[in-house]
């Protein structure tokens, strides 16, 4: 077969394998169990699924925050270092340059998720689950979204009502 | 036809729109001649200055330098670099913007592709990197790079644009900065990789899964939620960019490619995909890429990068060297599909001429447009406006500001994201001396 003919034939095979992926798929992935993925499976969903066991109080969170977070995000969540987000924010947004921080989130689970996966920034995933619940409780309390005595856990966290809950318009509904 | 003769033809062409825009057909079928004219045009007047007698330069009379294993740009091109937002590598995110005003064509060189990394560039060993797909699937599976290298691959061109690209355009006063500073968070590459649908077929997706989350192996474990539709439609696990392995800042050894969707969703250093039945609401979708509209309305899931174009040549940072011929050019792209038409104006939008499109026009990819222009030396305002094949048109500035608002105070720092998803027209104002400013018109 000439090189050209060979290439044409190869092209045809490729087109075929792309459209009949199941039949042609090499099947090289190794099976793995959810148990073995656990260390990576950190994302928390808004309905609370995948929240770990454990709990934390506002007071516990205040101590952790002072030690591990205030340097960048500011004492008490205000006046952060230049270039960093404050943790105390608005409850209402009416213009594009009204600053947005954690109070803007539709669901409180996002705070837990963001702290668990990425904070403290220089040593992420070093807080245990109780500590993440505690810091989350502290951040919610300094924004008056929960009371000083409230405890955050897998049950209470998804129930916290955020100021923007239910206010979002989906930009392109037909793409979802 | 000799070059002189062609030059005469150009000079005698009647303008098709105000302030000297010429018929785009002047560019067709005369590539070589026009290329010559374009080079001569910037710098030389229409009549052309007398040239010096020719002689050999030193590099023409001695043997040149050694051949490197990997080519670097000429030392004379040192100024063609990205601009950085975080020069001291402080512990926060870092942007690098593509110098659109200093390059040409439609593929962005990999070294100049824009990047935003939220926790630095991880140093990933490709032999140890894994991609796991799990959640609402029949059988969770894990893939090495070596595994994926054996899968059927697809090559396509696609732009990637940050949702915050062009954010300076929301400032109430035009920021006096280059196209790089305004629009440098979009770039265009050829990508080669494995279609996500191929892998989804192998793990067997539960029909109740409506989204998937994609997560990176960087220290912030950046994750985004993507509607499952997009996963089946045209999502790719990109392994190669412009023929070589994806570069570290761009996601080595693999990244998600979601053609036409917000850059941040094209998760780099991709290590996990989880099929889920609701969006995860990572802080990027919950806050960063949600927009506040006038009247206390809030938008979420603005994934699509809508039709847009901007002129790169001439633009802020260039100056015109006297009246005569100029090649106006720029890039146009749309997350919806192919670019169908680009119109160019030299009189601030009063009249328009159709630009020539450099084919082939690929869906969700840059199309370079060109418009021949004879500048008469008087003030002019250059604009471009694009249409895509679905009929979407780039909005006028007045329209986008009416719908979306603008900053309460003028903003002067281009690194500030005033808002997201600006896709209106950019205007370059040229004064009688050929100096170029960014203006709103």
């Amino acid at each position: 077969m000439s090189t050209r003919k060979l290439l044409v034939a190869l092209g045809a095979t490729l087109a075929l394998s792309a459209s009949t992926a199941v039949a042609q798929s090499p099947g090289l992935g190794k099976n793995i169990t959810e148990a073995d993925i656990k260390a990576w499976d950190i994302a928390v969903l808004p309905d609370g699924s995948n929240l770990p066991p454990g709990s934390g109080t506002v007071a516990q969170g205040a101590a952790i925050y002072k030690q591990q977070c205030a340097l960048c995000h500011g004492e008490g969540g205000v006046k952060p270092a230049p270039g960093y987000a404050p943790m105390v924010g608005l409850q209402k947004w009416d213009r594009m340059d009204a600053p947005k921080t954690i109070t803007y989130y539709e669901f409180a689970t996002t705070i837990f998720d963001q702290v668990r996966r990425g904070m403290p920034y220089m040593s992420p995933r070093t807080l245990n689950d109780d500590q993440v619940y505690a810091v989350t409780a502290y951040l919610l309390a300094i924004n008056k979204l929960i009371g000083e005595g409230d405890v955050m856990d897998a049950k209470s966290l998804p129930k916290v009502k955020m100021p923007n809950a239910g206010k979002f318009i989906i930009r392109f509904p037909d793409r979802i | 036809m000799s070059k002189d003769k062609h030059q005469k033809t150009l000079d005698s062409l009647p303008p098709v729109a105000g302030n000297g825009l010429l018929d785009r057909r002047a560019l067709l079928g005369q590539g070589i001649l026009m290329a010559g004219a374009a080079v001569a045009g910037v710098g030389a007047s229409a009549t052309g200055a007398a040239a010096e007698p020719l002689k050999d330069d030193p590099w023409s009379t001695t043997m040149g330098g050694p051949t490197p294993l990997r080519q670097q740009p000429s030392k004379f091109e040192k100024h063609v670099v990205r601009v950085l937002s975080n020069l001291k590598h402080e512990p926060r995110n870092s942007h690098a913007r593509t110098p659109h005003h200093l390059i040409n064509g439609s593929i962005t060189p990999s070294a100049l592709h824009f990047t935003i990394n939220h926790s630095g560039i991880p140093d990933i060993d490709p032999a140890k990197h894994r991609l796991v797909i799990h959640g609402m699937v029949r059988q969770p599976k894990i893939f090495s790079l070596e595994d994926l290298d054996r899968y059927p691959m697809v090559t396509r061109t696609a732009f990637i644009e940050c949702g915050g690209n062009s954010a300076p355009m929301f400032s109430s006063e035009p920021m006096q900065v280059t196209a790089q500073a305004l629009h440098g968070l979009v770039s265009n590459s050829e990508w080669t990789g494995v279609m996500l649908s191929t892998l989804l077929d192998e793990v067997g997706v539960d029909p109740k899964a409506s989204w998937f989350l994609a997560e990176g192996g960087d220290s912030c474990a950046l994750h985004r939620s993507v509607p499952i539709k997009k996963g089946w439609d045209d999502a790719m696990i990109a392994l190669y960019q412009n023929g070589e392995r994806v570069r570290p800042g761009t996601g080595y050894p693999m990244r998600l490619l979601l053609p036409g969707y917000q850059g941040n969703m094209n998760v780099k250093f991709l290590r996990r995909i989880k099929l889920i039945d609701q969006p995860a609401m990572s802080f990027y979708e919950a806050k960063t890429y949600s927009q506040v509209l006038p009247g206390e309305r809030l938008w979420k899931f603005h994934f699509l990068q809508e039709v847009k174009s901007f002129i790169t040549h001439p633009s802020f940072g260039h100056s015109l060297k006297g009246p005569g011929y100029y090649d106006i050019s720029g890039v146009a792209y749309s997350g919806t599909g192919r670019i169908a038409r680009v119109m160019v104006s030299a009189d601030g939008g009063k009249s328009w001429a159709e630009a020539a499109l450099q084919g082939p026009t690929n869906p969700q990819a840059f199309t370079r447009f060109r418009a021949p222009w004879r500048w008469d030396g008087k003030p002019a305002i250059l604009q471009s406006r694009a249409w895509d094949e679905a009929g979407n048109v780039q909005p006028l500035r007045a329209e986008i500001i009416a719908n979306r608002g603008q900053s309460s105070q003028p903003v002067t720092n281009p690194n500030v994201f005033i808002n997201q998803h600006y896709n209106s027209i950019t205007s370059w104002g040229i004064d009688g001396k050929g100096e170029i400013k960014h203006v709103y018109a």
Side-chain angles (χ1 to χ4, degrees), chain A residues 38-171:
Chain A
K38 210 160 186 312
W40 286 12
D41 189 16
I42 53 174
V44 167
L45 306 186
D47 68 357
S49 38
N50 217 29
L51 272 169
S55 68
T57 67
V58 176
Q60 289 161 344
I64 300 163
Y65 183 88
K66 205 174 174 54
Q67 270 195 348
Q68 305 215 37
C69 322
L71 177 72
C72 295
H73 295 296
E75 288 292 339
V78 295
K79 298 209 187 79
Y84 297 92
M87 291 289 113
V88 173
L90 303 173
Q91 309 265 331
K92 203 177 114 170
W93 289 262
D94 55 2
R95 55 186 169 88
M96 66 172 65
D97 41 13
K100 296 185 281 191
T101 182
I102 54 175
T103 49
Y104 186 89
Y105 301 169
E106 195 172 1
F107 305 100
T109 47
T110 300
I111 305 178
F112 183 97
D113 180 275
Q114 174 62 10
V115 174
R116 170 153 85 157
R117 74 177 48 246
M119 297 295 143
Y121 187 88
M122 300 302 274
S123 46
R125 302 188 287 287
T126 51
L127 299 179
N128 66 33
D129 293 335
D130 288 336
Q131 289 174 310
V132 179
Y133 276 119
V135 181
T136 306
Y138 173 73
L139 295 178
L140 289 165
I142 57 177
N143 283 292
K144 311 236 173 325
L145 296 171
I146 62 170
E148 290 294 325
D150 288 347
V151 176
M152 284 297 110
D153 59 25
K155 277 221 164 70
S156 57
L157 181 65
K159 293 201 192 107
V160 175
K161 178 131 168 50
M162 300 295 281
N164 280 339
K167 285 201 191 154
F168 291 86
I169 304 161
I170 295 178
R171 177 66 180 102

Side-chain angles (χ1 to χ4, degrees), chain B residues 37 62 66 68 109 140 223 274 328 423:
Chain B
T62 49
H223 78 312
K274 185 177 187 184
I328 296 174
N423 71 322

Side-chain angles (χ1 to χ4, degrees), chain B residues 89-107:
Chain B
H89 189 51
E90 287 164 11
R92 56 183 169 83
N93 69 11
S94 189
H95 321 151
R97 288 164 205 249
T98 297
H100 290 296
H101 61 307
L102 301 175
I103 60 178
N104 211 320
S106 59
I107 294 290

Side-chain angles (χ1 to χ4, degrees), chain A residues 25 97 100 104 117 121 174, chain B residues 118 134 202 221 229 290 408:
Chain A
S25 216
D97 41 13
K100 296 185 281 191
Y104 186 89
R117 74 177 48 246
Y121 187 88
D174 54 327
Chain B
H118 287 265
H134 73 124
E202 286 197 5
K229 261 191 203 176
S290 160
S408 333

